[in-house]
Amino acid sequence: MLITVGICTFNRAESLRETLDSLCTMRVPSDLAWEIVIVNNNCTDSTDDLISQYIDRLPVRREFEPVPGKSNALNRVIDVAKGEYIVWTDDDVLVDSGWLTAYAEAFRHWPGAAVFGGRIVPRYETPVTKWIAESEAELGGPYAIRDFGDHPYPLSATDKDHFPYGANWAVRTVEQRAFRYNPELGPIANKIRVQEDTDVIDRLLRSGATGYWIPNAIVHHRIGRQRQTVRYIAAYYEEWGATWAFLNASVIAATPFLYGIPRRIWPRLLLWWALYRFCRLILPAPVWVQYLKAYYYNKGMLRFWLLRRIEIQRTVARERRV
């Protein structure tokens, strides 16, 4: 069996160093062949020099993707992967010593399955912000936390709450090549959207592919102090709301609008804003964090439709000038 480990990176050389160090200490069965494909997505830091330092320590090769956007970089891995399976992770994680072994055993145990997902454990930079620690159960999305117990179980297209996340999932390469990443999703300059990985997993499982939760395939997601802020959490949910609006625009366009914005957004935005501001003053963090999430999610939807309205107005103005 040959496995490809795929990592995409953009200007995170020092973070990537820690990820590669963890891969160096990982146990790999003697009968398992593997490669690491690292895609440089137009980095301007020392990423290439860093990768070259690991050539003699890891089966690593560097690829370059000139088109900005994480999904373009992910698709580059798909194009060049030699493995029968692609195991995806990120440049800000530390892999467990038995991570790749757990996936290899799962591939052999369920040869008919195409999708696999593993545990993602947060590793906070200390001192941990108090309200973050108290609200961890509400922050699975922003911190990519995935922990669904100690026993494998089937994945289902009807249970999106238990989908794997991009920092730790695996897919059979033949299916991955049939279901590529959407370049309109994922981080890209001036257009930050999320869920590029769950979009692929959703399409795979809805097509009839099967998959499993693999609890022993563990990575640790490093969360710096700069991510332990209200601003970071708010930005994540605003991006999520904008992404949802983008993916569902054709359906929402048929609903009533007010001032160019779907009418139902206005009362929701006001309600969640008021609850967040009021409850933050008097209630525990796990309560007001729920309202923060809801407010910024709706704000993201409003932002999407506002920008869409501006684009339409500019298009009309250009046509009139012509």
Side-chain angles (χ1 to χ4, degrees):
M1 182 185 295
L2 174 61
I3 294 175
T4 296
V5 173
I7 301 173
C8 299
T9 191
F10 176 70
N11 286 350
R12 275 181 168 179
E14 290 309 309
S15 178
L16 178 62
R17 181 190 301 278
E18 295 189 49
T19 300
L20 295 178
D21 283 343
S22 73
L23 286 164
C24 286
T25 62
M26 185 176 63
R27 298 191 308 268
V28 181
S30 59
D31 62 344
L32 180 65
W34 67 303
E35 63 170 359
I36 305 170
V37 176
I38 302 176
V39 174
N40 174 335
N41 194 201
N42 269 322
C43 297
T44 56
D45 63 359
S46 59
T47 291
D48 283 348
D49 291 338
L50 172 69
I51 295 172
S52 67
Q53 297 173 24
Y54 288 84
I55 296 296
D56 296 331
R57 302 169 62 191
L58 291 168
V60 62
R61 56 191 173 97
R62 170 257 192 196
E63 295 285 340
F64 180 72
E65 174 50 58
V67 182
K70 185 177 180 181
S71 287
N72 294 312
L74 292 164
N75 285 331
R76 178 65 177 169
V77 175
I78 296 171
D79 290 337
V80 303
K82 298 177 181 178
E84 300 167 55
Y85 294 85
I86 301 175
V87 180
W88 295 104
T89 193
D90 284 340
D91 58 7
D92 60 354
V93 308
L94 305 176
V95 305
D96 185 77
S97 61
W99 176 65
L100 199 61
T101 299
Y103 274 125
E105 290 174 351
F107 301 155
R108 293 186 174 112
H109 189 74
W110 291 288
V115 181
F116 304 83
R119 202 185 310 248
I120 304 176
V121 180
R123 179 173 291 191
Y124 301 100
E125 181 182 353
T126 57
V128 182
T129 303
K130 183 174 181 291
W131 70 266
I132 292 288
E134 295 171 346
S135 307
E136 183 178 274
E138 298 293 331
L139 300 174
Y143 296 149
I145 301 170
R146 298 276 89 177
D147 192 345
F148 304 130
D150 297 330
H151 303 287
Y153 65 83
L155 302 175
S156 169
T158 61
D159 186 12
K160 294 185 179 182
D161 289 340
H162 290 83
F163 277 11
Y165 280 163
N168 188 16
W169 80 290
V171 57
R172 193 161 49 197
T173 305
V174 63
E175 280 87 355
Q176 179 72 94
R177 287 187 171 136
F179 293 87
R180 295 168 65 85
Y181 286 87
N182 181 354
E184 292 293 329
L185 299 178
I188 186 172
N190 301 319
K191 190 189 292 182
I192 299 176
R193 293 188 179 129
V194 294
Q195 298 189 344
E196 69 281 357
D197 44 13
T198 53
D199 170 68
V200 169
I201 293 167
D202 180 51
R203 287 186 281 125
L204 271 164
L205 293 176
R206 283 192 290 109
S207 76
T210 57
Y212 289 89
W213 162 251
I214 311 301
N216 293 331
I218 303 169
V219 303
H220 300 264
H221 185 205
R222 289 178 286 117
I223 300 167
R225 292 280 298 170
Q226 74 279 7
R227 295 188 188 183
Q228 300 178 40
T229 63
V230 167
R231 183 176 183 179
Y232 176 81
I233 302 302
Y236 174 86
Y237 282 101
E238 188 170 342
E239 292 160 7
W240 190 9
T243 301
W244 188 92
F246 166 74
L247 293 173
N248 295 276
S250 60
V251 175
I252 302 302
T255 64
F257 276 59
L258 180 64
Y259 301 117
I261 308 296
R263 192 167 62 191
R264 65 184 183 181
I265 292 178
W266 294 110
R268 293 178 181 180
L269 197 66
L270 179 60
L271 172 65
W272 295 125
W273 177 84
L275 285 171
Y276 163 56
R277 292 296 181 182
F278 177 72
C279 292
R280 186 171 180 181
L281 299 175
I282 62 172
L283 293 178
V287 177
W288 60 258
V289 164
Q290 295 182 60
Y291 301 138
L292 178 149
K293 290 162 53 177
Y295 169 65
Y296 280 97
Y297 183 83
N298 280 272
K299 185 179 178 182
M301 289 192 287
L302 183 142
R303 186 189 72 189
F304 170 83
W305 288 104
L306 181 62
L307 292 175
R308 182 165 171 150
R309 178 186 178 186
I310 292 172
E311 289 175 2
I312 291 173
Q313 291 174 339
R314 288 174 176 172
T315 299
V316 171
R318 284 196 298 268
E319 291 175 349
R320 286 176 178 172
R321 287 196 296 270
V322 173

